[in-house]
Amino acid sequence: MFQAASSSRPAKTTSGRQRDAFFDNAKYLAIVLVAVAHSWAPLRNESRTLDAAYVLVYAFHMPAFIVISGFFSRSFDMRPDRLKRLVTGLVVPYVVYEVAYSLFRRHFGDQPDLAISLLDPLFLVWFLAALFVWRLTTPLWKLVRYPLPLALVLAMLASVSPRIGEDLDMQRVFQFLPFFVLGLMLKPEHFQWVRRRAMRIAAVPVFLGAAAVVWWATPRFDTRWVYHRDAAQAMDHQWWTGPLMTLVMFGAALVLTACFFAWVPGRNTWFTSLGAGTLYGFLLHGFVLWGSEYAGWYDAAWLRRPYGEIFVTVVAVTVITLLCTAPVRRVFRFSMEPRMEWAWRRPPATTAEGGDGKRSEDGGQANVRESVGA
């Protein structure tokens, strides 16, 4: 699955299929933005510029990641090999890291009575629960006539439904759903279109204009809208602002995500192979972030100066990069890509109609790995 970054040949999956360098590059750059934004959170109230940058990144970094996840879920069906990979690639990591985060917060975060709940995702693991739900519904989205409008309607209804509750972070599941469905609808030529030279050039003034708008609006804007985790009423807003802001945030994220994809290189780079390990970086960097806060490292006054903010950014990029590397993946593969042959019934014998069961399972594994970054 891994190749040296200097190789001129595309990397291959375990099924022998070539990986697309563009998507690996996009996943790595998106996960870098996730880590950087998280590292800014404790400092954002000290600087309007940093606060605006935080909001700008939050407006599109997860939508971009979710669009890619949807794109690689297009072939998902209820085939047994793909269902098994859904369990080993999403359910098992969800349980392991929900428990791990809870224990970490208990012992290091001065919350000894924190309950372990598999229904109330802590911090980053909400994405695994959401991706599990989204992928299970993929066959349905491929059946309906107008999937994206329907997904937007569901997101708008969720934004005015405060009683949905926090189980499995269902507000985020519904409010981020349109981005997953959009990914299901996209084809390779759509990504090729947005990567044209004219689009790359046009993305510069568009993104700079968006940055200027965000800098102006940040003091006047409830930044909780970018998290997509609360209904309008829960944020003390009028109910009608929920559907309106759902459409506004979807449109803004769509434009910014298009700019992001326009700038992602399509060739093999030094970080292309790291795109295969973004799930590792995503789940593991939470421990580093929480550990830094619990240790009081963010209390240093100099971190609130521009050079301190730059230092935090560089450290975040370095840490997330290291967490996506092959050695880290080898150490933590047992928790994110476990081999669970013992849990499954033996596949049926090879038939002329069904083909080789093992080969189809490898294909299903590669599909899930690409969509979550493994």
Side-chain angles (χ1 to χ4, degrees):
M1 183 178 290
F2 283 101
Q3 283 188 324
S6 59
S7 173
S8 60
R9 293 176 300 170
K12 294 184 179 181
T13 67
T14 53
S15 64
R17 297 185 297 110
Q18 289 185 340
R19 296 180 67 101
D20 190 322
F22 167 78
F23 290 107
D24 278 335
N25 293 337
K27 286 186 291 186
Y28 168 75
L29 294 174
I31 208 64
V32 165
L33 291 176
V34 170
V36 167
H38 286 159
S39 73
W40 287 343
L43 306 173
R44 52 186 292 242
N45 293 329
E46 307 293 332
S47 167
R48 178 176 178 179
T49 299
L50 189 67
D51 194 23
Y54 174 90
V55 173
L56 182 67
V57 171
Y58 250 88
F60 76 93
H61 68 350
M62 284 309 298
F65 210 80
I66 293 168
V67 166
I68 296 174
S69 297
F71 179 76
F72 281 106
S73 297
R74 294 172 302 156
S75 62
F76 180 81
D77 52 28
M78 295 300 179
R79 212 170 67 186
D81 57 290
R82 288 174 176 159
L83 288 175
K84 287 191 288 186
R85 187 55 200 165
L86 198 62
V87 172
T88 58
L90 292 178
V91 176
V92 172
Y94 175 85
V95 173
V96 169
Y97 284 90
E98 176 65 20
V99 173
Y101 273 132
S102 299
L103 294 177
F104 190 83
R105 181 168 275 188
R106 273 188 184 183
H107 291 286
F108 300 103
D110 196 25
Q111 299 184 46
D113 299 325
L114 179 68
I116 296 176
S117 172
L118 296 182
L119 293 179
D120 187 11
L122 273 179
F123 198 24
L124 301 167
V125 292
W126 73 267
F127 178 69
L128 299 182
L131 188 54
F132 177 79
V133 173
W134 294 332
R135 182 158 295 136
L136 281 181
T137 63
T138 293
L140 175 63
W141 295 112
K142 293 191 292 186
L143 283 176
V144 298
R145 180 169 294 181
Y146 305 110
L148 186 56
L150 177 59
L152 281 169
V153 168
L154 291 176
M156 288 188 287
L157 290 174
S159 72
V160 296
S161 304
R163 298 185 66 181
I164 285 179
E166 297 181 354
D167 288 353
L168 296 181
D169 230 340
M170 290 304 293
Q171 276 289 351
R172 277 176 165 163
V173 172
F174 280 112
Q175 293 195 35
F176 277 114
L177 174 63
F179 300 104
F180 181 81
V181 174
L182 174 63
L184 289 175
M185 298 171 58
L186 293 178
K187 298 179 180 179
E189 49 264 35
H190 293 128
F191 291 96
Q192 295 170 2
W193 179 81
V194 81
R195 291 161 54 197
R196 294 180 304 165
R197 186 171 184 272
M199 293 296 293
R200 291 198 299 270
I201 295 173
V204 175
V206 171
F207 195 88
L208 291 177
V213 171
V214 170
W215 188 89
W216 172 84
T218 296
R220 307 165 175 84
F221 175 71
D222 188 339
T223 56
R224 290 177 293 179
W225 289 114
V226 300
Y227 300 137
H228 300 279
R229 67 185 178 201
D230 292 301
Q233 300 94 317
M235 295 187 290
D236 298 322
H237 295 294
Q238 296 293 322
W239 70 268
W240 56 266
T241 61
L244 176 62
M245 289 304 298
T246 297
L247 294 176
V248 169
M249 296 306 299
F250 179 78
L254 196 59
V255 171
L256 293 172
T257 298
C259 292
F260 170 74
F261 285 145
W263 294 331
V264 171
R267 65 186 183 283
N268 281 300
T269 68
W270 65 267
F271 56 80
T272 298
S273 63
L274 300 177
T278 50
L279 181 63
Y280 291 75
F282 180 75
L283 290 175
L284 294 175
H285 87 276
F287 295 105
V288 179
L289 180 65
W290 275 359
S292 301
E293 294 188 57
Y294 297 157
W297 294 346
Y298 274 98
D299 296 338
W302 64 273
L303 289 180
R304 279 135 181 90
R305 299 184 179 277
Y307 57 83
E309 296 165 356
I310 294 174
F311 173 78
V312 168
T313 303
V314 172
V315 170
V317 173
T318 303
V319 168
I320 197 67
T321 299
L322 293 175
L323 292 178
C324 292
T325 57
V328 173
R329 293 180 63 202
R330 284 195 291 269
V331 172
F332 290 96
R333 180 167 286 138
F334 75 95
S335 63
M336 298 195 201
E337 297 180 83
R339 296 185 178 275
M340 295 178 58
E341 287 84 358
W342 56 267
W344 315 116
R345 295 180 179 179
R346 295 180 63 85
T350 302
T351 64
E353 292 82 11
D356 189 343
K358 183 178 185 301
R359 184 178 304 158
S360 67
E361 181 170 350
D362 288 343
Q365 289 179 351
N367 176 269
V368 176
R369 282 176 182 150
E370 288 186 7
S371 66
V372 299

